[in-house]
Amino acid sequence: MKQQIIVSGIGGQGVLFLTRVIAQVAVNRGIPVLTSETHGMAQRGGTVLSTIKIGNFASPLIRAGQADIGLLLWDANLPVHKGLLKENGKLFISAEQTGEGERIDAAGIARLIGNPVLSNLVLLGFAVKRQALFCTSEECEKAIRQLAPQKFVEQNLEAFKQGLNG
Amino acid sequence: MSEKVKLLMGNEAVGQGLIEAGCQIAAAYPGTPSTEILQTVIDSRDRAIEPLHVEWSINEKIAFEVALAGSYSGKRSVAVMKQVGLNVAADPFMRTAYIGVKGGMLTIVADDPGPHSSQNEQDTRLFCLQGRVPVIDPASPAEAKVLIPAAFELSEKYELNIVLRPTTRICHSRQNVTLGEPLKLGRSADFQRDPTRWAATPAFLPALHRKLNANLEKIAQEPDWQPRLTPSDNSQPRTALVASGIVFSNLVDLLDELGLTGKIDLYQVLMPYPLNPSFSETLKRDYDRVLVLEETYPVIELQLAHPGAVGKQTGHVPREGELLPDILHQVLADFLNLDQPVALPDERRGQRPSLCPGCPHRAAFYSIKKCFPQGIFPSDIGCYTLGMNLGAVNTVHCMGACISQGAGFYQAYAQDGDFPTVVVTIGDSTFFHAGIPALVNAVVQQARIIVVILDNATTAMTGGQPVPHMGIAAGGKPTKSIAIEQLVKASGVEFLETCDPYDNEQFEKLLQQADDYIRSPEGGVAVLISRHGCIMDPSVRKSQEATLIQINDKCIGCRKCTNAFECPALIFDEQNKVALIDQDRCIGCGTCIPVCPVDAIIKEKNG
Ligand code: SF4
Ligand code: SF4
């Protein structure tokens, strides 16, 4: 099984955490995974992109037109990163407005839970529910428990569940 | 699968590799993309079974020298830095090649092709060629970790410093990585005095140089470090691909996607310098055409001197930037006469980075620009480089350059008569790193400049490493704190004030006073310490007042707040032509209030 995923957003939106959760599922399942992440200056509110490659790959980078799935936390990044997606690739976008791809107002839901940054896990739940990703919801929950700070685990899981229902 | 397999970032893998290899002295100065290497050593130091000294040094030169003496004492040591940090450490680094080491010593230098977060994309492998230091170029996080114990052994066998060069895409990639048991080497410090070596005068250096050259010839032939061939079915006869580092990995995936795996001979160069002459001979004998792929400079290509080799030297491979998979695709298509890849859409840049909502630097920059609209603003390396967006940063060069550049600007203008107000901005960590000699120099040379030290009590850019005036060392250990004020005074500065930039009125008053001072007959360097903790630090956030800030209907849509102040929490509603506050991102600091010319930004009473 091979799957190539991009996670796009701006610094401070929890792109890195979302990337780690997905990659952790692969590690838990014992399959190879490679990710690449944006660090440094761009994390200060600039556009950031993570790539995740599940299965037998050597490089973490994704060529144009090769990604199976795009998870976008920042709608305005669509023109910037859309080119990475396959023609039949699936897009899941956190946005209030309607438009291309499957959309959910993840930030709005996360705000109600009490932390707008959790839009990352709302979006994950939304994509998992649509069986787009290689992973199951149980696997994601386990990875969230492993990676979230102790006192925020329940809140994180709540965000993920709201996404599943979204 | 065993529990020992973890999802690790390249830098974490390297950090764990250092602990497992029995490294006992680890010193670094933080810098993207290298920072998490030492951070991992700190966070995982409980895994080490022998004593382990870890330090965030004041700069890379010092980190290198601390590690070097650790090695002289017979222990395994490491110095970690980013590529431009090696320039700072160049002096001891170059001499170490001749003098050598005792316990295994690695210098881990993280390169940043692109560059993503650096002032240039220099190639440490070329630096090593000049410095005559063997250099290893790993192709993945897991490989970087596996190569560390082997590199320590190589270092000990030849008593030479060895460089491991990961690049950003290795440092910041995650992968399944296997953890192992740390080595117990059982060494105690044992410095063997040998002045002809450790204090070698010129008289001894020709012999040491000769020995180095002889050793390099032997290292080039070390069986474990030879280029690795993935042979093919010869469908591309007498043709080969040669790659190193992450480019090799990119190439492997690309060949797979194009159905070319096993169709063309493929070499991975593990140690780009010194390259085995017999490898060059093999290539000359067996192949007519060779494509060399490496980041960022043509280091392998230069050494190969193959008449049929193409690469950066010949213009077949882009000379700048990363060799990303799409770029490789184009290069490969041209080299092998494949179908041309579809043209890529123009690269779009996306959102530019900006100082965080509530960042104290923003308030300081805004006041500086307001007080001295015609000023010259040299600045430096750190988050505050982003002061560029506010028009309050005119130059950014290298660590600590701003103070000397400010002094240079003053000298150049003053010799013509009048001079503009030069306001230098330098972060606290950068000030300790390289700012102190520059400040002494500016005072002695009687430069009339204002130096604003942006003290946010951390190395914010790289994620909050401790700085000397905090009184904490790596891992939160308490230590002596070195006050910036005392250092500034001891440097001969006579105008010294401290102010929280959130208090814009007082801050601007002090800037005016500083300007009066530098223009007075007895004037010289004026220093203003702008002090407010980094907003990324949760304790800072907790300790400061947060009020609900809103924009009322007085807003005339002038965009002053969104353009000149540009807090990311201020957004402009293009439909209604008014400014809005994104309450998800606003931290309620209120520093934007004085910016609005019509007082439309207000504190809600019961916020
Ligand atoms: S809030 Fe004030 S500064 Fe911002 S656009 Fe409105 S009037 Fe201009
Ligand atoms: S109060 Fe103003 S400056 Fe502070 S975070 Fe909110 S919008 Fe930005």
Side-chain angles (χ1 to χ4, degrees):
Chain A
M1 196 260 328
K2 281 188 167 191
Q3 192 167 60
Q4 306 195 44
I5 305 162
I6 61 163
V7 185
S8 155
I10 59 169
Q13 279 190 315
V15 167
L16 291 186
F17 186 74
L18 178 50
T19 306
R20 279 177 65 204
V21 168
I22 296 171
Q24 184 67 44
V25 172
V27 172
N28 290 347
R29 214 194 262 182
I31 49 179
V33 56
L34 277 159
T35 75
S36 85
E37 304 166 353
T38 314
H39 287 246
M41 189 78 96
Q43 278 178 300
R44 301 283 175 264
T47 288
V48 294
L49 174 74
S50 286
T51 59
I52 307 168
K53 286 163 86 174
I54 308 286
N56 258 327
F57 289 102
S59 156
L61 299 178
I62 297 182
R63 217 150 48 86
Q66 298 295 315
D68 302 289
I69 291 166
L71 302 174
L72 272 72
L73 289 166
W74 191 249
D75 193 13
N77 283 356
L78 187 57
V80 187
H81 293 143
K82 199 180 134 185
L84 290 167
L85 237 67
K86 282 182 178 153
E87 247 168 70
N88 60 354
K90 291 197 180 113
L91 265 175
F92 300 94
I93 304 179
S94 162
E96 285 171 37
Q97 306 86 348
T98 54
E100 201 174 336
E102 297 203 51
R103 289 164 179 252
I104 180 169
D105 180 11
I109 294 170
R111 211 174 288 131
L112 291 178
I113 298 172
N115 184 358
V117 174
L118 290 177
S119 61
N120 57 0
L121 295 181
V122 176
L123 187 66
L124 177 65
F126 183 68
V128 167
K129 178 67 179 213
R130 275 145 195 83
Q131 295 180 345
L133 291 162
F134 71 99
C135 40
T136 65
S137 62
E138 292 75 25
E139 286 177 308
C140 290
E141 280 171 26
K142 180 175 175 209
I144 292 169
R145 282 184 197 282
Q146 281 170 287
L147 296 176
Q150 195 62 44
K151 59 177 183 178
F152 295 117
V153 168
E154 290 311 316
Q155 205 187 34
N156 277 243
L157 288 172
E158 178 60 24
F160 179 68
K161 276 181 201 137
Q162 296 260 352
L164 284 176
N165 301 332
Chain B
M1 184 157 288
S2 119
E3 289 171 5
K4 289 281 179 62
V5 176
K6 292 210 153 180
L7 176 68
L8 293 189
M9 204 200 290
N11 282 344
E12 295 168 343
V14 169
Q16 298 292 0
L18 289 168
I19 290 178
E20 290 173 16
C23 180
Q24 289 191 272
I25 306 282
Y29 184 80
T32 313
S34 72
T35 310
E36 299 85 0
I37 295 175
L38 196 80
Q39 196 59 53
T40 301
V41 178
I42 294 168
D43 295 343
S44 299
R45 64 189 181 286
D46 290 349
R47 288 189 68 220
I49 41 183
E50 291 180 298
L52 169 58
H53 171 78
V54 199
E55 69 171 55
W56 288 117
S57 307
I58 299 285
N59 64 37
E60 294 86 351
K61 178 180 187 295
I62 290 169
F64 186 90
E65 291 156 348
V66 167
L68 185 61
S71 157
Y72 283 9
S73 311
K75 298 193 169 176
R76 289 191 169 177
S77 72
V78 69
V80 186
M81 59 200 70
K82 67 180 294 181
Q83 91 280 30
V84 290
L86 186 58
N87 303 338
V88 177
D91 214 352
F93 178 82
M94 297 298 272
R95 178 163 158 97
T96 300
Y98 286 42
I99 308 288
V101 302
K102 203 72 195 176
M105 174 163 176
L106 302 187
T107 305
I108 301 182
V109 187
D111 277 2
D112 188 23
H116 295 270
S117 241
S118 305
Q119 63 261 39
N120 69 27
E121 51 177 346
Q122 70 185 57
D123 187 332
T124 295
R125 303 172 314 149
L126 190 63
F127 205 123
C128 290
L129 186 126
Q130 189 215 355
R132 306 200 149 266
V133 181
V135 55
I136 299 161
D137 197 1
S140 71
E143 185 174 80
K145 177 166 180 288
V146 166
L147 292 176
I148 286 174
F152 271 121
E153 280 161 29
L154 188 68
S155 168
E156 284 170 357
K157 179 169 176 189
Y158 292 95
E159 298 196 343
L160 286 175
N161 170 39
I162 306 283
V163 169
L164 178 78
R165 181 206 71 148
T167 52
T168 302
R169 301 293 187 175
I170 305 283
C171 295
H172 292 157
S173 281
R174 286 178 205 270
Q175 186 179 20
N176 329 54
V177 176
T178 311
L179 290 185
E181 281 306 310
L183 272 180
K184 189 168 167 67
L185 296 170
R187 297 181 186 175
S188 13
D190 181 19
F191 172 54
Q192 299 286 328
R193 287 164 186 78
D194 179 1
T196 64
R197 189 169 168 201
W198 308 127
T201 53
F204 297 103
L205 287 167
L208 288 167
H209 192 182
R210 211 167 301 125
K211 191 172 157 208
L212 167 64
N213 286 332
N215 274 334
L216 287 169
E217 278 177 27
K218 287 187 211 146
I219 290 175
Q221 291 166 32
E222 277 287 331
D224 290 350
W225 298 95
Q226 296 307 307
R228 294 173 179 165
L229 169 65
T230 313
S232 72
D233 61 8
N234 224 10
S235 43
Q236 295 277 348
R238 297 193 65 77
T239 309
L241 305 174
V242 174
S244 83
I246 189 69
V247 189
F248 172 76
S249 298
N250 292 343
L251 189 59
V252 167
D253 280 0
L254 179 65
L255 291 172
D256 185 41
E257 279 166 12
L258 299 176
L260 291 173
T261 304
K263 301 275 175 214
I264 179 166
D265 281 8
L266 170 64
Y267 288 91
Q268 179 193 6
V269 177
L270 224 49
M271 186 185 286
Y273 177 80
L275 208 56
N276 193 345
S278 79
F279 175 59
S280 307
E281 291 314 314
T282 306
L283 290 184
K284 278 181 202 153
R285 191 189 62 222
D286 296 347
Y287 305 97
D288 300 326
R289 299 177 69 231
V290 177
L291 174 63
V292 189
L293 297 162
E294 53 188 326
E295 284 174 352
T296 316
Y297 297 161
V299 177
I300 299 169
E301 196 182 339
L302 280 168
Q303 294 175 83
L304 280 183
H306 185 295
V310 298
K312 294 177 185 243
Q313 290 284 93
T314 58
H316 291 75
V317 177
R319 294 189 178 97
E320 308 83 21
E322 293 181 283
L323 294 182
L324 297 170
D326 288 305
I327 296 170
L328 274 186
H329 188 189
Q330 183 65 54
V331 170
L332 200 67
D334 292 342
F335 181 70
L336 296 178
N337 251 321
L338 310 173
D339 292 342
Q340 283 292 312
V342 284
L344 291 175
D346 286 347
E347 203 185 317
R348 301 203 203 200
R349 295 198 56 113
Q351 184 97 5
R352 73 174 178 183
S354 172
L355 294 166
C356 301
C359 176
H361 297 335
R362 175 180 290 103
F365 282 127
Y366 185 78
S367 292
I368 292 169
K369 178 80 182 167
K370 182 176 159 200
C371 290
F372 311 110
Q374 304 305 321
I376 294 181
F377 307 128
S379 190
D380 225 292
I381 311 283
C383 286
Y384 52 98
T385 300
L386 293 168
M388 224 179 319
N389 298 358
L390 283 92
V393 167
N394 297 149
T395 69
V396 175
H397 205 79
C398 63
M399 292 292 287
C402 62
I403 298 181
S404 347
Q405 284 186 313
F409 277 123
Y410 166 78
Q411 307 295 2
Y413 276 87
Q415 64 185 197
D416 295 348
D418 198 16
F419 60 93
T421 300
V422 177
V423 186
V424 165
T425 43
I426 183 166
D428 45 0
S429 183
T430 312
F431 178 69
F432 281 104
H433 178 284
I436 297 165
L439 183 63
V440 174
N441 185 73
V443 170
V444 171
Q445 297 302 327
Q446 298 177 302
R448 294 166 180 266
I449 59 172
I450 302 174
V451 175
V452 177
I453 301 175
L454 300 167
D455 177 10
N456 61 359
T458 186
T459 311
M461 178 75 217
T462 49
Q465 289 70 36
V467 254
H469 57 304
M470 296 308 300
I472 12 174
K477 206 170 56 184
T479 182
K480 249 197 163 62
S481 78
I482 316 286
I484 296 178
E485 283 87 339
Q486 285 169 21
L487 281 168
V488 170
K489 279 194 199 136
S491 306
V493 171
E494 281 167 10
F495 182 104
L496 171 65
E497 294 287 349
T498 303
C499 183
D500 184 338
Y502 270 35
D503 182 355
N504 68 307
E505 279 176 25
Q506 176 66 7
F507 196 79
E508 286 160 25
K509 202 173 99 198
L510 290 172
L511 281 172
Q512 293 297 354
Q513 282 175 14
D515 194 40
D516 293 344
Y517 169 76
I518 64 169
R519 291 173 187 284
S520 66
E522 68 285 357
V525 178
V527 172
L528 174 57
I529 301 175
S530 169
R531 182 164 286 153
H532 192 112
C534 171
I535 226 70
M536 295 282 274
D537 179 341
S539 67
V540 172
R541 282 283 296 278
K542 249 179 236 153
S543 69
Q544 75 186 48
E545 194 193 346
T547 16
L548 179 62
I549 306 289
Q550 289 193 309
I551 297 181
N552 65 21
D553 54 11
K554 280 204 269 176
C555 172
I556 51 170
C558 70
R559 296 180 196 251
K560 196 170 167 209
C561 59
T562 49
N563 289 352
F565 199 65
E566 67 122 47
C567 172
L570 290 163
I571 38 185
F572 199 77
D573 176 351
E574 295 292 346
Q575 246 153 29
N576 299 312
K577 300 274 177 246
V578 287
L580 296 173
I581 289 182
D582 177 350
Q583 296 296 352
D584 286 352
R585 303 181 79 188
C586 174
I587 67 150
C589 70
T591 55
C592 54
I593 293 173
V595 175
C596 178
V598 296
D599 298 328
I601 309 181
I602 49 153
K603 265 188 196 169
E604 276 299 299
K605 294 257 158 23
N606 306 316

